[in-house]
Amino acid sequence: MSAPVLAAYSYCEAITGQQARNFAYGIRLLPTPKRRAMSALYAFSRRVDDIGDGTLAPDVKAARLEDTRALLARVRDRSVDEDDTDPVAVALSHTADHFPVPLDGLDELIDGVLMDVRGETYETWDDLKVYCRCVAGAIGRLSLGVFGTEPGARGAERAPEYADTLGLALQLTNILRDVREDAEDGRTYLPADDLAKFGCSAGFDGAYPPAGSDFAGLVHFEVRRARALFAEGYRLLPMLDRRSGACVAAMAGIYRRLLDRIEREPEAVLRGRVSLPGREKAYVAVRGLSGLDARHVSRRTIRRRA
């Protein structure tokens, strides 16, 4: 690896270590080439997210996102030189040369962030799924391009579907965790028909649920939906090699534990961001590296087939 490419990856790994939080716990379990590739994907995705979450006017954000899409086109066309001044583009281009990552997934991410810029809301779960697939399912499919599947893994043709579904599970957990923060930013992600069903259409602009609402019922309803997505997405684990499976199990395991906390105390999400302490994240990472989750999924799949 040339010095400019190595420096570009180091830049991306620094961004990942500083900003990725839960993501960083998973990818540190990967071998160096895969860890660097995942950092390049994260750094590009972080750039897209930061544009969407920033304070610029919507038309300026949209223009910046289209500039980022043009950069992605250069990466796709292999027209980024190793000495390019943009280290994220250099690292991403090297990743695309060495791993079969579906770069169209990053186009989908840009499309999803444009939905945020336009202030789109979602009437039904089917509507919200479109957004979640753009901003999270696509990341799952991109990650699978780095992980790969084990030779001869049964059902490997469905691996992209499971990776996509696991992304949806993580994103729905994010939406539940950030419901108050998003409301303060003028964003509503939970489907309007779900909000109406539980008397929460007034939104979440304070530390308490809307008067007369069944906020706990709403949260528990969405938690059940997220758990079903996790159960389906976890079928990916036995198809991966040990360290890639550990990475996925660690990231997903952290979010599943967040979901447990949210389920136990639904109103906590209205008082602040629910998170896990570092020691608990480390435990989840060790559990993932042990292969316990992958073996559990394998046994359950065998029982179903029997």
Short mmCIF file of all heavy atoms in Angstrom, two decimals, residues 9-61:
data_model
loop_
_atom_site.label_atom_id
_atom_site.label_comp_id
_atom_site.label_asym_id
_atom_site.label_seq_id
_atom_site.Cartn_x
_atom_site.Cartn_y
_atom_site.Cartn_z
N TYR A 9 -6.33 6.17 4.68
CA TYR A 9 -7.03 5.25 5.57
C TYR A 9 -6.87 5.68 7.03
O TYR A 9 -7.81 5.58 7.83
CB TYR A 9 -6.50 3.83 5.40
CG TYR A 9 -7.16 3.05 4.28
CD1 TYR A 9 -6.40 2.46 3.27
CD2 TYR A 9 -8.55 2.87 4.24
CE1 TYR A 9 -6.99 1.73 2.25
CE2 TYR A 9 -9.15 2.14 3.23
CZ TYR A 9 -8.37 1.58 2.23
OH TYR A 9 -8.97 0.86 1.23
N SER A 10 -5.70 6.15 7.39
CA SER A 10 -5.48 6.61 8.77
C SER A 10 -6.42 7.76 9.11
O SER A 10 -6.95 7.84 10.22
CB SER A 10 -4.01 7.04 8.95
OG SER A 10 -3.15 5.94 8.80
N TYR A 11 -6.61 8.64 8.14
CA TYR A 11 -7.54 9.76 8.33
C TYR A 11 -8.96 9.22 8.58
O TYR A 11 -9.66 9.68 9.50
CB TYR A 11 -7.50 10.65 7.10
CG TYR A 11 -8.48 11.79 7.11
CD1 TYR A 11 -8.19 12.98 7.78
CD2 TYR A 11 -9.72 11.69 6.46
CE1 TYR A 11 -9.10 14.03 7.79
CE2 TYR A 11 -10.63 12.73 6.48
CZ TYR A 11 -10.32 13.90 7.14
OH TYR A 11 -11.22 14.94 7.16
N CYS A 12 -9.38 8.26 7.77
CA CYS A 12 -10.73 7.70 7.91
C CYS A 12 -10.88 6.96 9.24
O CYS A 12 -11.94 7.04 9.89
CB CYS A 12 -11.04 6.76 6.75
SG CYS A 12 -11.19 7.58 5.15
N GLU A 13 -9.83 6.24 9.65
CA GLU A 13 -9.90 5.53 10.93
C GLU A 13 -9.97 6.51 12.10
O GLU A 13 -10.64 6.24 13.10
CB GLU A 13 -8.69 4.60 11.07
CG GLU A 13 -8.76 3.39 10.16
CD GLU A 13 -7.69 2.37 10.46
OE1 GLU A 13 -6.53 2.57 10.01
OE2 GLU A 13 -8.00 1.38 11.14
N ALA A 14 -9.30 7.66 11.98
CA ALA A 14 -9.38 8.67 13.03
C ALA A 14 -10.80 9.21 13.15
O ALA A 14 -11.33 9.37 14.26
CB ALA A 14 -8.39 9.80 12.74
N ILE A 15 -11.44 9.48 12.01
CA ILE A 15 -12.83 9.94 12.03
C ILE A 15 -13.73 8.89 12.68
O ILE A 15 -14.58 9.21 13.52
CB ILE A 15 -13.31 10.24 10.60
CG1 ILE A 15 -12.59 11.47 10.04
CG2 ILE A 15 -14.83 10.44 10.56
CD1 ILE A 15 -12.92 11.74 8.59
N THR A 16 -13.52 7.64 12.31
CA THR A 16 -14.34 6.56 12.85
C THR A 16 -14.16 6.44 14.35
O THR A 16 -15.14 6.32 15.11
CB THR A 16 -13.99 5.23 12.16
OG1 THR A 16 -14.12 5.38 10.75
CG2 THR A 16 -14.89 4.11 12.64
N GLY A 17 -12.92 6.48 14.82
CA GLY A 17 -12.66 6.36 16.24
C GLY A 17 -13.24 7.51 17.05
O GLY A 17 -13.70 7.32 18.18
N GLN A 18 -13.26 8.72 16.47
CA GLN A 18 -13.74 9.89 17.18
C GLN A 18 -15.26 10.00 17.18
O GLN A 18 -15.86 10.49 18.14
CB GLN A 18 -13.15 11.16 16.55
CG GLN A 18 -11.66 11.31 16.74
CD GLN A 18 -11.06 12.36 15.81
OE1 GLN A 18 -11.79 13.07 15.11
NE2 GLN A 18 -9.74 12.47 15.81
N GLN A 19 -15.90 9.53 16.11
CA GLN A 19 -17.32 9.84 15.94
C GLN A 19 -18.25 8.63 15.87
O GLN A 19 -19.46 8.79 16.00
CB GLN A 19 -17.51 10.67 14.65
CG GLN A 19 -16.73 11.97 14.65
CD GLN A 19 -17.03 12.82 13.43
OE1 GLN A 19 -18.16 12.90 12.98
NE2 GLN A 19 -16.01 13.45 12.89
N ALA A 20 -17.70 7.44 15.68
CA ALA A 20 -18.57 6.32 15.36
C ALA A 20 -19.27 5.69 16.57
O ALA A 20 -20.27 5.01 16.40
CB ALA A 20 -17.79 5.24 14.62
N ARG A 21 -18.73 5.87 17.76
CA ARG A 21 -19.33 5.31 18.96
C ARG A 21 -19.57 3.81 18.81
O ARG A 21 -18.65 3.02 18.83
CB ARG A 21 -20.62 6.05 19.30
CG ARG A 21 -20.40 7.53 19.62
CD ARG A 21 -21.72 8.25 19.84
NE ARG A 21 -21.53 9.67 20.06
CZ ARG A 21 -22.49 10.56 20.01
NH1 ARG A 21 -23.74 10.18 19.74
NH2 ARG A 21 -22.25 11.83 20.23
N ASN A 22 -20.83 3.41 18.66
CA ASN A 22 -21.18 1.99 18.62
C ASN A 22 -20.50 1.27 17.46
O ASN A 22 -20.07 0.12 17.59
CB ASN A 22 -22.69 1.82 18.52
CG ASN A 22 -23.41 2.41 19.72
OD1 ASN A 22 -22.85 2.49 20.81
ND2 ASN A 22 -24.64 2.84 19.53
N PHE A 23 -20.41 1.91 16.31
CA PHE A 23 -19.83 1.31 15.12
C PHE A 23 -18.38 0.90 15.36
O PHE A 23 -17.94 -0.16 14.92
CB PHE A 23 -19.93 2.32 13.97
CG PHE A 23 -19.50 1.83 12.63
CD1 PHE A 23 -20.35 1.10 11.83
CD2 PHE A 23 -18.23 2.12 12.14
CE1 PHE A 23 -19.96 0.66 10.57
CE2 PHE A 23 -17.82 1.69 10.89
CZ PHE A 23 -18.70 0.96 10.10
N ALA A 24 -17.65 1.75 16.09
CA ALA A 24 -16.23 1.50 16.29
C ALA A 24 -15.98 0.24 17.10
O ALA A 24 -14.97 -0.44 16.92
CB ALA A 24 -15.58 2.70 16.99
N TYR A 25 -16.90 -0.09 18.02
CA TYR A 25 -16.72 -1.31 18.82
C TYR A 25 -16.76 -2.56 17.96
O TYR A 25 -16.11 -3.55 18.25
CB TYR A 25 -17.80 -1.39 19.91
CG TYR A 25 -17.42 -0.66 21.16
CD1 TYR A 25 -17.69 0.69 21.31
CD2 TYR A 25 -16.77 -1.31 22.20
CE1 TYR A 25 -17.34 1.38 22.45
CE2 TYR A 25 -16.41 -0.64 23.35
CZ TYR A 25 -16.70 0.71 23.47
OH TYR A 25 -16.32 1.39 24.61
N GLY A 26 -17.56 -2.53 16.89
CA GLY A 26 -17.65 -3.68 16.02
C GLY A 26 -16.46 -3.82 15.10
O GLY A 26 -15.86 -4.90 15.01
N ILE A 27 -16.08 -2.74 14.42
CA ILE A 27 -15.08 -2.88 13.37
C ILE A 27 -13.68 -3.12 13.92
O ILE A 27 -12.80 -3.60 13.19
CB ILE A 27 -15.07 -1.70 12.39
CG1 ILE A 27 -14.58 -0.41 13.05
CG2 ILE A 27 -16.44 -1.50 11.78
CD1 ILE A 27 -14.31 0.68 12.04
N ARG A 28 -13.44 -2.84 15.19
CA ARG A 28 -12.11 -3.13 15.74
C ARG A 28 -11.86 -4.64 15.82
O ARG A 28 -10.73 -5.07 16.01
CB ARG A 28 -11.95 -2.48 17.12
CG ARG A 28 -12.80 -3.07 18.21
CD ARG A 28 -12.56 -2.39 19.54
NE ARG A 28 -12.86 -0.98 19.48
CZ ARG A 28 -12.77 -0.15 20.53
NH1 ARG A 28 -12.39 -0.62 21.71
NH2 ARG A 28 -13.06 1.13 20.41
N LEU A 29 -12.90 -5.44 15.66
CA LEU A 29 -12.77 -6.90 15.67
C LEU A 29 -12.34 -7.46 14.32
O LEU A 29 -12.04 -8.65 14.20
CB LEU A 29 -14.10 -7.55 16.09
CG LEU A 29 -14.65 -7.12 17.45
CD1 LEU A 29 -16.02 -7.75 17.68
CD2 LEU A 29 -13.70 -7.50 18.58
N LEU A 30 -12.32 -6.62 13.30
CA LEU A 30 -12.00 -7.07 11.94
C LEU A 30 -10.49 -7.10 11.69
O LEU A 30 -9.74 -6.34 12.31
CB LEU A 30 -12.65 -6.12 10.92
CG LEU A 30 -14.17 -6.10 10.87
CD1 LEU A 30 -14.65 -4.94 10.00
CD2 LEU A 30 -14.73 -7.42 10.35
N PRO A 31 -10.04 -7.92 10.74
CA PRO A 31 -8.64 -7.83 10.31
C PRO A 31 -8.39 -6.47 9.66
O PRO A 31 -9.32 -5.81 9.18
CB PRO A 31 -8.50 -8.98 9.31
CG PRO A 31 -9.88 -9.29 8.86
CD PRO A 31 -10.78 -8.97 10.02
N THR A 32 -7.14 -6.07 9.62
CA THR A 32 -6.78 -4.70 9.21
C THR A 32 -7.37 -4.28 7.86
O THR A 32 -7.95 -3.19 7.76
CB THR A 32 -5.26 -4.53 9.20
OG1 THR A 32 -4.77 -4.76 10.51
CG2 THR A 32 -4.87 -3.13 8.76
N PRO A 33 -7.26 -5.08 6.79
CA PRO A 33 -7.81 -4.61 5.51
C PRO A 33 -9.31 -4.32 5.58
O PRO A 33 -9.78 -3.32 5.03
CB PRO A 33 -7.49 -5.75 4.55
CG PRO A 33 -6.32 -6.45 5.16
CD PRO A 33 -6.55 -6.37 6.63
N LYS A 34 -10.06 -5.19 6.24
CA LYS A 34 -11.50 -4.99 6.34
C LYS A 34 -11.83 -3.82 7.26
O LYS A 34 -12.75 -3.05 6.99
CB LYS A 34 -12.20 -6.26 6.82
CG LYS A 34 -12.18 -7.39 5.81
CD LYS A 34 -12.99 -8.59 6.30
CE LYS A 34 -13.00 -9.70 5.26
NZ LYS A 34 -13.83 -10.86 5.68
N ARG A 35 -11.06 -3.67 8.33
CA ARG A 35 -11.29 -2.55 9.24
C ARG A 35 -11.07 -1.22 8.52
O ARG A 35 -11.85 -0.27 8.67
CB ARG A 35 -10.37 -2.65 10.46
CG ARG A 35 -10.69 -1.62 11.54
CD ARG A 35 -9.67 -1.65 12.66
NE ARG A 35 -8.38 -1.14 12.23
CZ ARG A 35 -7.26 -1.87 12.16
NH1 ARG A 35 -7.28 -3.16 12.47
NH2 ARG A 35 -6.13 -1.32 11.77
N ARG A 36 -10.01 -1.15 7.72
CA ARG A 36 -9.74 0.08 6.97
C ARG A 36 -10.84 0.36 5.96
O ARG A 36 -11.29 1.51 5.82
CB ARG A 36 -8.39 -0.03 6.26
CG ARG A 36 -7.19 0.09 7.18
CD ARG A 36 -5.90 -0.22 6.44
NE ARG A 36 -4.73 0.02 7.28
CZ ARG A 36 -3.54 -0.49 7.06
NH1 ARG A 36 -3.35 -1.30 6.01
NH2 ARG A 36 -2.53 -0.22 7.87
N ALA A 37 -11.30 -0.69 5.28
CA ALA A 37 -12.37 -0.51 4.29
C ALA A 37 -13.64 -0.01 4.96
O ALA A 37 -14.31 0.89 4.44
CB ALA A 37 -12.62 -1.82 3.55
N MET A 38 -13.98 -0.57 6.11
CA MET A 38 -15.18 -0.13 6.82
C MET A 38 -15.04 1.32 7.30
O MET A 38 -16.00 2.08 7.30
CB MET A 38 -15.46 -1.06 7.99
CG MET A 38 -15.91 -2.46 7.59
SD MET A 38 -17.51 -2.47 6.73
CE MET A 38 -18.60 -2.05 8.11
N SER A 39 -13.82 1.70 7.66
CA SER A 39 -13.58 3.09 8.08
C SER A 39 -13.78 4.04 6.90
O SER A 39 -14.30 5.15 7.08
CB SER A 39 -12.17 3.24 8.65
OG SER A 39 -12.03 2.52 9.85
N ALA A 40 -13.36 3.63 5.71
CA ALA A 40 -13.56 4.47 4.52
C ALA A 40 -15.05 4.65 4.24
O ALA A 40 -15.51 5.76 3.94
CB ALA A 40 -12.86 3.86 3.31
N LEU A 41 -15.81 3.56 4.34
CA LEU A 41 -17.26 3.65 4.15
C LEU A 41 -17.89 4.55 5.21
O LEU A 41 -18.77 5.37 4.90
CB LEU A 41 -17.89 2.26 4.21
CG LEU A 41 -17.59 1.31 3.04
CD1 LEU A 41 -18.14 -0.07 3.34
CD2 LEU A 41 -18.18 1.85 1.74
N TYR A 42 -17.43 4.40 6.44
CA TYR A 42 -17.98 5.24 7.51
C TYR A 42 -17.67 6.71 7.28
O TYR A 42 -18.54 7.58 7.44
CB TYR A 42 -17.44 4.81 8.88
CG TYR A 42 -17.97 5.72 9.97
CD1 TYR A 42 -19.22 5.50 10.53
CD2 TYR A 42 -17.25 6.83 10.39
CE1 TYR A 42 -19.74 6.36 11.48
CE2 TYR A 42 -17.76 7.70 11.34
CZ TYR A 42 -19.00 7.45 11.89
OH TYR A 42 -19.51 8.33 12.82
N ALA A 43 -16.42 7.02 6.92
CA ALA A 43 -16.02 8.42 6.76
C ALA A 43 -16.83 9.10 5.66
O ALA A 43 -17.24 10.26 5.80
CB ALA A 43 -14.53 8.51 6.45
N PHE A 44 -17.07 8.39 4.55
CA PHE A 44 -17.89 8.97 3.49
C PHE A 44 -19.33 9.15 3.98
O PHE A 44 -19.94 10.21 3.77
CB PHE A 44 -17.87 8.09 2.24
CG PHE A 44 -18.57 8.70 1.06
CD1 PHE A 44 -17.87 9.47 0.15
CD2 PHE A 44 -19.93 8.52 0.86
CE1 PHE A 44 -18.51 10.06 -0.95
CE2 PHE A 44 -20.58 9.10 -0.21
CZ PHE A 44 -19.87 9.88 -1.12
N SER A 45 -19.86 8.15 4.65
CA SER A 45 -21.23 8.23 5.16
C SER A 45 -21.37 9.35 6.19
O SER A 45 -22.37 10.07 6.21
CB SER A 45 -21.63 6.89 5.78
OG SER A 45 -21.54 5.84 4.85
N ARG A 46 -20.35 9.52 7.03
CA ARG A 46 -20.36 10.58 8.04
C ARG A 46 -20.41 11.95 7.37
O ARG A 46 -21.12 12.85 7.83
CB ARG A 46 -19.10 10.46 8.90
CG ARG A 46 -18.96 11.48 10.01
CD ARG A 46 -19.87 11.14 11.16
NE ARG A 46 -21.12 11.86 11.10
CZ ARG A 46 -22.20 11.52 11.79
NH1 ARG A 46 -22.19 10.47 12.58
NH2 ARG A 46 -23.29 12.23 11.70
N ARG A 47 -19.68 12.09 6.28
CA ARG A 47 -19.70 13.36 5.55
C ARG A 47 -21.11 13.66 5.04
O ARG A 47 -21.60 14.79 5.17
CB ARG A 47 -18.72 13.30 4.38
CG ARG A 47 -18.70 14.57 3.53
CD ARG A 47 -17.70 14.48 2.41
NE ARG A 47 -16.33 14.33 2.90
CZ ARG A 47 -15.27 14.26 2.09
NH1 ARG A 47 -15.41 14.30 0.78
NH2 ARG A 47 -14.05 14.15 2.60
N VAL A 48 -21.76 12.66 4.49
CA VAL A 48 -23.12 12.84 3.99
C VAL A 48 -24.07 13.21 5.13
O VAL A 48 -24.87 14.15 5.04
CB VAL A 48 -23.61 11.57 3.27
CG1 VAL A 48 -25.07 11.69 2.87
CG2 VAL A 48 -22.75 11.30 2.03
N ASP A 49 -23.98 12.47 6.25
CA ASP A 49 -24.85 12.73 7.39
C ASP A 49 -24.61 14.13 7.96
O ASP A 49 -25.57 14.83 8.36
CB ASP A 49 -24.61 11.69 8.49
CG ASP A 49 -25.22 10.35 8.15
OD1 ASP A 49 -26.11 10.29 7.27
OD2 ASP A 49 -24.81 9.34 8.75
N ASP A 50 -23.35 14.54 8.03
CA ASP A 50 -23.04 15.85 8.60
C ASP A 50 -23.64 16.98 7.77
O ASP A 50 -24.05 18.01 8.31
CB ASP A 50 -21.53 16.04 8.72
CG ASP A 50 -20.93 15.24 9.88
OD1 ASP A 50 -21.72 14.76 10.73
OD2 ASP A 50 -19.70 15.10 9.93
N ILE A 51 -23.68 16.80 6.45
CA ILE A 51 -24.32 17.81 5.61
C ILE A 51 -25.80 17.90 5.96
O ILE A 51 -26.35 18.98 6.16
CB ILE A 51 -24.14 17.48 4.12
CG1 ILE A 51 -22.67 17.59 3.71
CG2 ILE A 51 -25.00 18.42 3.25
CD1 ILE A 51 -22.37 17.06 2.33
N GLY A 52 -26.45 16.75 6.06
CA GLY A 52 -27.87 16.74 6.37
C GLY A 52 -28.19 17.28 7.75
O GLY A 52 -29.23 17.92 7.95
N ASP A 53 -27.30 17.05 8.73
CA ASP A 53 -27.56 17.47 10.11
C ASP A 53 -27.07 18.88 10.41
O ASP A 53 -27.31 19.40 11.51
CB ASP A 53 -26.88 16.50 11.09
CG ASP A 53 -27.52 15.12 11.07
OD1 ASP A 53 -28.70 15.01 10.67
OD2 ASP A 53 -26.84 14.15 11.45
N GLY A 54 -26.40 19.50 9.47
CA GLY A 54 -25.82 20.81 9.71
C GLY A 54 -26.84 21.94 9.72
O GLY A 54 -28.04 21.73 9.60
N THR A 55 -26.33 23.17 9.83
CA THR A 55 -27.19 24.34 9.98
C THR A 55 -27.36 25.14 8.68
O THR A 55 -27.95 26.22 8.69
CB THR A 55 -26.62 25.27 11.06
OG1 THR A 55 -25.28 25.65 10.69
CG2 THR A 55 -26.58 24.57 12.41
N LEU A 56 -26.85 24.62 7.58
CA LEU A 56 -26.98 25.33 6.30
C LEU A 56 -28.43 25.35 5.84
O LEU A 56 -29.25 24.54 6.26
CB LEU A 56 -26.12 24.64 5.24
CG LEU A 56 -24.61 24.60 5.49
CD1 LEU A 56 -23.93 23.70 4.48
CD2 LEU A 56 -24.03 26.02 5.45
N ALA A 57 -28.74 26.28 4.95
CA ALA A 57 -30.08 26.34 4.38
C ALA A 57 -30.33 25.08 3.54
O ALA A 57 -29.40 24.50 2.98
CB ALA A 57 -30.21 27.58 3.50
N PRO A 58 -31.59 24.65 3.45
CA PRO A 58 -31.90 23.42 2.72
C PRO A 58 -31.37 23.39 1.29
O PRO A 58 -30.88 22.35 0.83
CB PRO A 58 -33.43 23.37 2.74
CG PRO A 58 -33.79 24.09 4.00
CD PRO A 58 -32.79 25.18 4.13
N ASP A 59 -31.43 24.53 0.57
CA ASP A 59 -30.95 24.51 -0.81
C ASP A 59 -29.44 24.35 -0.88
O ASP A 59 -28.90 23.70 -1.79
CB ASP A 59 -31.40 25.77 -1.56
CG ASP A 59 -30.89 27.05 -0.91
OD1 ASP A 59 -30.66 27.05 0.32
OD2 ASP A 59 -30.72 28.06 -1.63
N VAL A 60 -28.74 24.90 0.12
CA VAL A 60 -27.28 24.74 0.17
C VAL A 60 -26.93 23.29 0.52
O VAL A 60 -26.01 22.70 -0.06
CB VAL A 60 -26.67 25.72 1.19
CG1 VAL A 60 -25.15 25.52 1.27
CG2 VAL A 60 -27.00 27.15 0.82
N LYS A 61 -27.68 22.71 1.46
CA LYS A 61 -27.46 21.31 1.80
C LYS A 61 -27.65 20.42 0.57
O LYS A 61 -26.84 19.51 0.30
CB LYS A 61 -28.42 20.86 2.89
CG LYS A 61 -28.13 21.40 4.27
CD LYS A 61 -29.12 20.83 5.28
CE LYS A 61 -28.85 21.32 6.68
NZ LYS A 61 -29.78 20.74 7.67
#
